[in-house]
Amino acid sequence: MGKFQIENLGTPHYKSPLKLSTVKGDNIFDFVSDADRLVFDLSMEYYNHCLKTGEAPLCLEKAGPRQDIFFDAQKTTAAIVTCGGLCPGINNVIRGVVMGLHYFYGVKKILGIPYGYEGLNPEKGHGFVELTPDKVKDIHQFGGTFLGSSRGSQDVSKMVDTLQANNIDILFAIGGDGTLKGVDAIGQEIQKRDAKISVVGIPKTIDNDIDLIDESFGFETAFDVASPILRDAHNEATGAFNGISMVKLMGRDSGFIAASAALAMPVVNFVLVPEMDFSLEGEKGFLKALEQRLELKRHAVIVVAEGAGQHLFQEKSGVKDASGNVKHKDIGLFLKEKIGEHFKGSSVTIKYIDPSYIIRSAPANSSDSVYCSRLAYHAVHGAMAGKTRFVSSKVNNKYVYVPITEVTQKRKKIDMEGEFWFSVLQSTGQPFSWA
């Protein structure tokens, strides 16, 4: 198998109920073929490399409806599970999957699995929820998850036992890195048993740290909701002599929300993200830069991602959450204390704002709503065609299917030498380095 080859449960034997075209140019959307592929690396350097070596370029499988499908829709049972932390757009995806299965393919039995992977462990006693178009038609208007969520893993063998015991043919898992690794492990166990169950991931992480894909759903809403908070933080800062407003935003290992919010609301003077090392003290330290800013403008707005500055703590946190992520020390309160100590005796007013959970539980904005629906529809098409262990995603602004194993090898981070971070530096005017 090639690097981006998508696994299939077998040869599709059923004709799609979708009345689409097989001929170009007849003003009807065409079925997508497995041979329809998109080049992954669009750089001229890679193009020239392939020309020189004769290598076939790395390609991704184009997402969309197939003419031949694997499952008999009338006999198919699908299930949906949502795992991990909340994120704008989860309900939109649930709704999109249910509507797509029901109206596109005629799948009538769709189960909701409550409270994440716990719902696939009968010992937890959560049971299932029957999902119908009428039940989910309005859930996109609300944040959170209609099905509930949980962190942490469950016994993979027990989860597959549950899928088989309930004759579930397709499992859609909506979640981030841990969720995707979990559903891939479920897929591996299914493969060992030679069972014909498709497992599909729909990448969800508010931090936008899923590797390879353009963007995870909910991320755009996150910095959209954060923008007016930064505006109000600026108002607080300018309302006092030597006013400092510091806003802590989500971003455990990647600072995309903090950086994007600062660009969207360009009143921010300092952005601190997990990808950067910075010192507090000294002539090139952060506190000196803050001091110079106050001397010049008499106010400052600081945005800090939750995972930034962990190197500044003498004792490293060894505590992990249920998902296995190290619980970071509170950089916001730490910086507030250090700034207060540095300016002790001076006329400085510090306001600290932490809107994290308000942001992640917000409903999706219009742009994210569109994205969620399209991800859901493409996930449905891929699953009905018998594809498995893949994510429905967007790469190079095109909808594609990517093997789960490829997007979970590492977390996506801000390139500190890239144009995006340079734009942040230009917007804030902060130094290139405080090392």
Side-chain angles (χ1 to χ4, degrees), residues 336-361:
K336 181 185 177 186
E337 182 180 326
K338 292 296 181 183
I339 291 169
E341 290 174 0
H342 182 79
F343 290 101
K344 193 172 183 179
S346 304
S347 179
V348 171
T349 302
I350 306 170
K351 295 290 192 296
Y352 175 54
I353 305 162
D354 181 359
S356 302
Y357 291 100
I358 294 172
I359 290 172
R360 77 174 198 168
S361 59

Side-chain angles (χ1 to χ4, degrees), residues 129-293:
V129 178
E130 192 86 28
L131 298 179
T132 63
D134 191 58
K135 191 167 283 187
V136 302
K137 62 184 174 65
D138 296 322
I139 64 173
H140 62 290
Q141 300 180 49
F142 304 96
T145 165
F146 172 75
L147 294 174
S149 184
S150 67
R151 293 190 181 275
S153 59
Q154 299 293 322
D155 185 282
V156 173
S157 184
K158 286 182 181 178
M159 291 194 287
V160 176
D161 287 344
T162 301
L163 294 176
Q164 291 185 306
N166 290 276
N167 299 312
I168 292 170
D169 303 293
I170 304 171
L171 174 65
F172 296 93
I174 304 168
D177 183 74
T179 303
L180 297 178
K181 287 177 179 175
V183 79
D184 194 54
I186 291 171
Q188 291 177 50
E189 178 65 21
I190 288 168
Q191 196 173 51
K192 286 178 188 175
R193 301 186 187 191
D194 197 28
K196 301 303 180 185
I197 304 173
S198 169
V199 295
V200 184
I202 303 175
K204 172 227 63 141
T205 165
I206 200 168
D207 292 346
N208 194 35
D209 60 359
I210 299 289
D211 197 30
L212 301 184
I213 70 174
D214 290 355
E215 192 175 285
S216 49
F217 76 81
F219 163 67
E220 189 170 310
T221 299
F223 72 80
D224 185 20
V225 174
S227 293
I229 295 171
L230 300 188
R231 177 200 62 208
D232 295 344
H234 176 257
N235 293 339
E236 281 286 349
T238 56
F241 179 76
N242 284 341
I244 300 171
S245 284
M246 182 165 58
V247 181
K248 186 177 80 170
L249 297 177
M250 302 189 86
R252 183 195 303 275
D253 299 299
S254 305
F256 288 104
I257 293 178
S260 298
L263 279 174
M265 184 57 65
V267 295
V268 177
N269 311 113
F270 300 98
V271 179
L272 308 176
V273 294
E275 291 88 343
M276 66 191 292
D277 271 338
F278 62 95
S279 57
L280 286 179
E281 311 294 342
E283 282 301 307
K284 293 185 177 180
F286 167 70
L287 293 173
K288 185 65 177 179
L290 179 58
E291 190 178 309
Q292 292 169 346
R293 164 71 194 181

